[in-house]
Amino acid sequence: MKVIVLGAGVVGVTAAWYLARAGHEVTVVDRQPAAALETSFANAGQISPGFSAPWAEPALPLKVLRWMASRHAPIVIRPRIDFAMMRWIEQLLANCNAHDYDINKSRMLRIAEYSRDCLDALRRDTGITYDDEQRGLIQLFRTQKQVDHAARDMSLLDQAGIAHEFLSPDEIAKHEPGLMENRHLFKGGLRLPGDESGDCHMFTRRLAQKAEEELGVTFHYETTIEALDASATDILGVRTSAGRMTADTYVVSMGSYSPLLLRPLGLHLPVYPTKGYSLTLPVTDAARAPVSTVNDATYKVSITRLGDRIRIGGTAELAGYNLRLRRDRRKLLELSFSELFGASGDLSQGAYWTGLRPSTPDGTPVIGPAGRFSNLWLNTGHGTLGWTMACGSGRVLADRMSGKRTEIPCLDLSLDRYTTV
């Protein structure tokens, strides 16, 4: 088939790679001058299948109420008249129960684990590098309550067959020597040895180049996607700033902007932007810097080593499509890093960035056909885990579009699980 992929972030580019490898003629369209210049540009840098969990947990409503009075709240809701946001929050709260949490986490673990395996195979096949490390992830718990809550997640990891271990503060410091001086700050940690890290932007740019040079994928950059032309049952073409483009099949991988493209067609995609922030700074003391990835469960901040840099990422803000860099969010990132890793990196040289994560109320991405349109497919809604789930999502999508049997169950990842179409 001739396929047009709309969006050149990590999710769109990996989908294009697997579709081209399956023998399709693939074109990718994006408004930016190169791949991975929006949400994929400076994310947290962690590939964390074992850390995959929905925000919609039973304790979330009470947590949010407490955070409203905190200067360092990991989740912030900016008051605004936004019916899409209110509907999304309503659906999120509907998932905040133990039954749905277990189902949603199991779905997320399935696609995330598969994606990590696909990435490993891709790395072996192509030799691609991206400041990558395969040294695991440690989630730090500062309170006994966090330790107790982790027991439920560990039982789900057991059921999914995912390797993990609970560590004492001294054991954590053996894996992350930079935490030795500050190990009194935490009660313990959950280590996920199968998790990885790497620069998503570097990976996506290099994979896009390989897709173009080795598989013949065509990239149209600096091309704004304006609208989809459709009949009652089919997509007829895509209108862009460079003119109308046509194909046999279309894939929407436009992240948080996917719902805006689909809404005129009567498709109500349950995706809303959750704004995240990051700081990237140079390493100044390698002995005290993180070795791999550390997640601070208290502030919901991740700290990742990327070669000679440190990436500090986190926080979630519901503020529509606003890309303003807020000073209070930077302070939260700096606070977590300073308490854990001190002066191992130069915060004054930190490059401050924000991006919009395309999030679903249940945390699970939307991968599959789009409602009544026979030639329209979706690959979006990965939230904070686009880098983690990208390769697996692309492979599942390519197999389904090619009429092949998928290697994991995936029907419950499609839009059909919602009743909004």
Side-chain angles (χ1 to χ4, degrees):
M1 296 183 295
K2 183 177 179 181
V3 182
I4 292 179
V5 176
L6 304 175
V10 67
V11 171
V13 169
T14 50
W17 172 267
Y18 287 107
L19 285 164
R21 253 192 20 170
H24 302 294
E25 179 186 342
V26 182
T27 297
V28 181
V29 185
D30 195 278
R31 64 185 177 185
Q32 295 291 347
L37 289 180
E38 296 200 22
T39 303
S40 302
F41 180 70
N43 64 15
Q46 62 186 51
I47 301 150
S48 50
F51 192 61
S52 300
W55 289 355
E57 59 170 329
L60 181 67
L62 288 178
K63 285 182 179 180
V64 171
L65 289 175
R66 289 200 306 270
W67 288 334
M68 288 175 68
S70 171
R71 289 189 302 121
H72 304 304
I75 297 178
V76 175
I77 302 173
R78 305 293 178 192
R80 53 188 286 114
I81 300 175
D82 186 337
F83 293 109
M85 183 176 77
M86 288 187 280
R87 181 174 179 80
W88 187 87
I89 292 174
E90 179 185 2
Q91 291 175 309
L92 177 80
L93 293 174
N95 279 274
C96 289
N97 60 81
H99 174 74
D100 287 332
Y101 178 83
D102 289 353
I103 291 174
N104 296 332
K105 185 175 177 69
S106 296
R107 287 173 177 165
M108 295 172 73
L109 287 171
R110 185 200 317 146
I111 185 64
E113 279 283 297
Y114 178 63
S115 187
R116 194 265 319 282
D117 294 343
C118 290
L119 174 60
D120 289 346
L122 191 154
R123 191 168 52 240
R124 291 193 304 269
D125 292 344
T126 64
I128 194 170
T129 60
Y130 42 93
D131 278 342
D132 54 298
E133 294 286 353
Q134 292 77 48
R135 298 194 183 194
L137 174 150
I138 297 176
Q139 185 180 21
L140 297 179
F141 305 124
R142 298 182 185 234
T143 68
Q144 186 59 45
K145 190 172 183 180
Q146 291 170 346
V147 172
D148 296 339
H149 177 75
R152 182 180 184 86
D153 281 342
M154 284 189 278
S155 69
L156 292 174
L157 293 172
D158 281 331
Q159 294 171 25
I162 296 173
H164 62 281
E165 56 181 338
F166 187 85
L167 302 178
S168 68
D170 287 339
E171 289 170 329
I172 291 170
K174 290 179 181 178
H175 291 282
E176 288 286 353
L179 291 172
M180 178 64 73
E181 294 181 8
N182 297 318
R183 64 189 186 281
H184 63 281
L185 293 175
F186 39 92
K187 300 291 185 182
L190 176 63
R191 181 171 181 262
L192 300 155
D195 286 8
E196 305 179 3
S197 59
D199 189 319
C200 181
H201 172 247
M202 187 184 297
F203 170 86
T204 308
R205 292 284 291 269
R206 291 179 176 178
L207 188 65
Q209 183 178 1
K210 285 180 178 291
E212 187 172 30
E213 295 175 353
E214 299 175 16
L215 301 180
V217 176
T218 300
F219 287 84
H220 290 288
Y221 295 120
E222 297 184 286
T223 303
T224 302
I225 300 156
E226 298 173 347
L228 293 172
D229 293 330
S231 67
T233 57
D234 296 288
I235 301 300
L236 305 176
V238 54
R239 279 178 273 152
T240 77
S241 58
R244 191 169 183 268
M245 300 180 184
T246 60
D248 301 311
T249 306
Y250 304 81
V251 176
V252 176
S253 292
M254 294 171 57
S256 297
Y257 297 89
S258 300
L260 305 185
L261 181 71
L262 297 172
R263 196 172 298 154
L265 303 179
L267 292 175
H268 301 286
L269 183 64
V271 168
Y272 192 81
T274 53
K275 186 178 178 183
Y277 295 83
S278 76
L279 274 172
T280 306
L281 46 138
V283 173
T284 55
D285 185 348
R288 297 179 64 188
V291 171
S292 182
T293 294
V294 169
N295 279 356
D296 186 343
T298 297
Y299 297 122
K300 309 298 183 187
V301 168
S302 66
I303 304 168
T304 302
R305 180 73 168 268
L306 297 173
D308 59 359
R309 300 165 295 148
I310 298 171
R311 175 73 49 77
I312 312 165
T315 85
E317 185 177 311
L318 296 180
Y321 291 84
N322 185 319
L323 287 169
R324 174 189 169 193
L325 287 165
R326 300 186 66 97
R327 183 174 176 79
D328 61 325
R329 299 291 86 192
R330 177 169 183 150
K331 286 183 176 179
L332 176 60
L333 301 178
E334 291 178 342
L335 173 66
S336 176
F337 175 77
S338 297
E339 289 184 351
L340 297 176
F341 289 100
S344 65
D346 188 350
L347 285 169
S348 69
Q349 298 297 313
Y352 192 30
W353 172 89
T354 188
L356 302 176
R357 312 178 187 111
S359 302
T360 60
D362 62 8
T364 311
V366 180
I367 310 168
R372 67 182 185 274
F373 298 103
S374 63
N375 61 343
L376 181 62
W377 293 75
L378 306 176
N379 188 17
T380 188
H382 297 75
T384 60
L385 296 167
W387 184 200
T388 295
M389 297 180 175
C391 287
S393 300
R395 177 62 189 274
V396 162
L397 182 79
D399 285 347
R400 289 196 68 184
M401 290 177 63
S402 303
K404 296 179 182 178
R405 183 184 179 89
T406 58
E407 295 181 327
I408 62 168
C410 61
L411 294 181
D412 58 352
L413 303 178
S414 71
L415 191 61
D416 292 341
R417 70 182 188 270
Y418 292 96
T419 59
T420 55
V421 178

